[in-house]
Amino acid sequence: MAKSFPGAVSNAELVTKVTGYLRRYNYDSSTLVAFSLCSDEVNRPLEEVFYGGYGEHFNMGGLAGFPFAGVTGFGAMASHIPDGGSCLLVYGPHVGVDSDGRVGKVDRKGKNKSGSCCGSAVAASKYITAVYQGNAEKVSAPTDAVDAQQNYVSSALLPYGERVATAVDPMIELPFATFEPIDAMMERIVKKGASKVAGDGK
């Protein structure tokens, strides 16, 4: 972990830093946390640590951490913020490191072998690499809702095909590449929905 992701901190350390920093801006029990993390159960412990400081949260995320709740979801979340309170957005992709130190894998309870993590991003990376190498065609926009999120993740990562495919370790590069379209999407959502945060809320 330290070699692949220098500066990484534990969930508890992250929450301590965040709450300490935001206290000066009056983020307290009146804060509503909105998460946009992948559906993968490995992300729930981070949410649970945030519960200690801020209580229940609003979920905006879907596969790979993309904020699929969109502007409508942000508006709904904003309307749930306690009077005089603010919102804290916690978002981004995730990546596993298994007990053998393999990035892009994670040991799961009851499984004999480690599995992909983030599975959605790894699946998308295989697709974008194949497109970059000329071994697959670009897929069109989803017409069926049963796998629309994964289709979107794959499409959003297409511009990063070369970057991921040519990286020294694609699995280390993948979460950094995945963060960029997630961040851009969240920026657009906040820009369109920030007026929904009432009063002096931030």
Side-chain angles (χ1 to χ4, degrees):
M1 177 69 84
K3 180 181 177 182
S4 300
F5 303 102
V9 298
S10 70
N11 289 344
E13 288 176 282
L14 175 64
V15 174
T16 297
K17 287 183 177 185
V18 169
T19 55
Y21 181 81
L22 292 179
R23 196 171 292 121
R24 70 188 78 172
Y25 299 104
N26 300 317
Y27 278 70
D28 51 27
S29 59
S30 66
T31 300
L32 177 61
V33 180
F35 285 103
S36 184
L37 303 175
C38 184
S39 309
D40 194 322
E41 67 274 11
V42 301
N43 292 305
R44 304 295 75 83
L46 175 59
E47 296 175 359
E48 290 167 6
V49 177
F50 268 100
Y51 291 165
Y54 300 106
E56 295 180 346
H57 73 276
F58 189 97
N59 183 22
M60 292 185 61
L63 291 182
F66 280 84
F68 287 116
V71 176
T72 300
F74 186 95
M77 177 278 298
S79 72
H80 300 172
I81 298 170
D83 293 343
S86 298
C87 67
L88 169 61
L89 296 174
V90 180
Y91 64 95
H94 70 288
V95 63
V97 180
D98 71 8
S99 55
D100 292 323
R102 293 179 297 178
V103 178
K105 300 278 189 179
V106 72
D107 300 314
R108 296 186 188 277
K109 182 175 67 175
K111 303 290 286 184
N112 290 326
K113 295 181 180 179
S114 61
S116 294
C117 185
C118 166
S120 172
V122 170
S125 75
K126 292 177 182 177
Y127 161 70
I128 65 175
T129 297
V131 171
Y132 167 70
Q133 295 172 341
N135 298 321
E137 296 292 325
K138 293 181 181 180
V139 295
S140 58
T143 56
D144 190 337
V146 297
D147 210 17
Q149 286 191 17
Q150 182 58 35
N151 188 296
Y152 184 91
V153 172
S154 296
S155 297
L157 288 179
L158 264 175
Y160 306 91
E162 180 178 4
R163 175 175 161 184
V164 172
T166 60
V168 174
D169 187 331
M171 290 299 102
I172 293 175
E173 187 61 34
L174 183 59
F176 292 106
T178 305
F179 176 75
E180 292 188 17
I182 291 174
D183 187 47
M185 186 175 179
M186 186 63 85
E187 290 281 355
R188 289 170 54 211
I189 290 169
V190 171
K191 186 175 182 179
K192 287 190 174 183
S195 63
K196 302 290 185 183
V197 179
D200 296 325
K202 303 174 188 66

